[in-house]
Amino acid sequence: MASQNRELKEAGLKVTAPRLKILSMLSDASEQGDHLSAEDLYQRLRDTGEDIGLATVYRVLTQFETAELIIRHNFEAGYSVFEMAPDHHHDHMVDVDTNEVIEFIDEEIERRQHLIAEQHGYEIIDHTMVLRVRKKDGA
Amino acid sequence: MASQNRELKEAGLKVTAPRLKILSMLSDASEQGDHLSAEDLYQRLRDTGEDIGLATVYRVLTQFETAELIIRHNFEAGYSVFEMAPDHHHDHMVDVDTNEVIEFIDEEIERRQHLIAEQHGYEIIDHTMVLRVRKKDGA
DNA sequence: TTGGTTGCAAACAATTTGCATAAAT
DNA sequence: ATTTATGCAAATTGTTTGCAACCAA
């Protein structure tokens, strides 16, 4: 995955082992639809035998977020979770019973969001929309 | 506002001065569209001459949240902000530079959200939408 | 070489908790 | 009288930072 080298360089970050490991682990998790906290990441790295400090995990995550390589979510109070920045924006529907996550995108909603922001004199930097849902009848 | 006494009792909470003050202050702020952090609330209470401990503010906020009297938001990492549980649902726009929160509602978006959930065989239990925005030049 | 990077420990900020006192029912 | 609440300080939790050693460019 030499492409990751370029991503780091383009972000003005030196290509180091810790950064590559973190990027790769986060990438794998994201493909599984997992959102990892700094601590999650730190533990998984340790389990894989990597000797990366927790402070480094935090620093690197912040740098990746700034470089827009990853996205930070504050779903729960108290800590953040991260996922790779998706190529294409999408919103989430979460089944409250199974925790299954369904991704979707609706152009009309996107359009109106921008319209609303504009009406208030703002431009949208980014946005989040989470629908907490339950299956109709048969659960 | 004797109605607040009942709200507290129905939540199984004793009617105490700190709780009434917090409820009232949060209610006023919410009417102004302000979302307060625990620290904000604590400071405002002190400014009003109230002698309520920060720990009490935190404890009471958690209890109110559990009782669904108020809503907790995690717009920014690191701390929560609260508002009275709104009678009518609305979404939020957060100014990324000032952390100011603007409330809004768009019926068309609401309609489409339900439509989308339905198309997937779900019904919406609850949802959140946060637009992170920045003022268009002339700020 | 040179400046960015890392690990560790100490520092921080937000929030929680133990406990003795005080107030509500 | 009994139960729950409060204030304070100490403790926790998640995250950040100072610094000396270290490594990529």
Side-chain angles (χ1 to χ4, degrees):
Chain A
M1 309 300 132
S3 63
Q4 305 194 313
N5 281 37
R6 180 166 32 182
E7 290 186 297
L8 291 178
K9 283 182 179 166
E10 284 175 0
L13 300 171
K14 286 186 175 171
V15 178
T16 66
R19 287 193 178 128
L20 288 172
K21 292 282 161 42
I22 290 171
L23 197 53
S24 138
M25 178 132 289
L26 208 42
S27 182
D28 292 350
S30 289
E31 259 165 62
Q32 248 61 49
D34 281 349
H35 295 68
L36 305 184
S37 66
E39 191 72 32
D40 289 337
L41 205 34
Y42 175 64
Q43 288 304 337
R44 292 198 186 190
L45 287 166
R46 295 197 76 224
D47 293 349
T48 318
E50 300 300 332
D51 188 22
I52 300 179
L54 182 54
T56 298
V57 173
Y58 275 106
R59 268 185 300 234
V60 169
L61 285 173
T62 302
Q63 292 161 341
F64 286 1
E65 183 195 12
T66 301
E68 300 189 304
L69 261 45
I70 67 177
I71 301 271
R72 176 196 298 262
H73 292 287
N74 302 125
F75 293 140
E76 302 291 320
Y79 65 96
S80 300
V81 292
F82 304 82
E83 69 172 318
M84 292 299 293
D87 313 353
H88 302 297
H89 163 74
H90 57 253
D91 292 307
H92 299 270
M93 225 184 288
V94 181
D95 185 316
V96 299
D97 296 314
T98 68
N99 282 329
E100 184 190 357
V101 175
I102 299 98
E103 298 179 349
F104 71 92
I105 174 78
D106 184 82
E107 296 303 343
E108 175 64 14
I109 288 179
E110 300 294 313
R111 241 172 32 72
R112 295 196 70 88
Q113 288 174 330
H114 283 276
L115 188 65
I116 290 162
E118 196 150 312
Q119 287 170 346
H120 288 259
Y122 290 99
E123 65 180 324
I124 294 182
I125 302 302
D126 85 44
H127 69 273
T128 317
M129 181 168 125
V130 179
L131 308 185
R132 298 182 62 249
V133 301
R134 171 167 290 143
K135 225 157 208 141
K136 280 192 151 178
D137 22 82
Chain B
M1 306 295 135
S3 62
Q4 305 193 312
N5 281 36
R6 180 165 33 180
E7 290 186 296
L8 292 178
K9 284 182 178 166
E10 285 174 0
L13 300 171
K14 285 184 177 175
V15 178
T16 66
R19 288 192 178 131
L20 287 171
K21 292 282 159 42
I22 289 172
L23 197 53
S24 137
M25 178 132 290
L26 208 43
S27 181
D28 292 350
S30 290
E31 258 165 62
Q32 248 62 49
D34 280 350
H35 296 66
L36 305 183
S37 66
E39 191 71 33
D40 289 337
L41 204 35
Y42 174 64
Q43 289 304 337
R44 292 198 186 189
L45 287 165
R46 296 200 77 220
D47 293 349
T48 318
E50 299 300 332
D51 188 22
I52 299 180
L54 182 54
T56 297
V57 172
Y58 275 106
R59 269 185 299 234
V60 169
L61 284 174
T62 301
Q63 293 160 341
F64 285 1
E65 184 195 11
T66 301
E68 300 190 304
L69 261 47
I70 67 177
I71 301 270
R72 174 195 300 262
H73 292 288
N74 303 124
F75 295 136
E76 300 294 317
Y79 66 95
S80 300
V81 293
F82 303 82
E83 68 173 316
M84 291 302 291
D87 321 352
H88 303 297
H89 162 77
H90 58 251
D91 293 306
H92 299 93
M93 231 181 286
V94 180
D95 186 317
V96 299
D97 296 314
T98 67
N99 284 345
E100 184 191 357
V101 177
I102 300 97
E103 301 177 349
F104 72 92
I105 174 78
D106 184 82
E107 295 302 344
E108 176 63 14
I109 288 180
E110 300 293 315
R111 241 173 31 73
R112 295 196 71 88
Q113 287 173 329
H114 283 277
L115 187 64
I116 290 162
E118 195 151 313
Q119 287 170 346
H120 288 260
Y122 290 100
E123 64 179 325
I124 294 182
I125 301 302
D126 151 4
H127 72 272
T128 325
M129 179 169 127
V130 180
L131 308 185
R132 298 184 62 251
V133 301
R134 171 166 291 140
K135 222 149 211 153
K136 276 191 152 179
D137 352 279

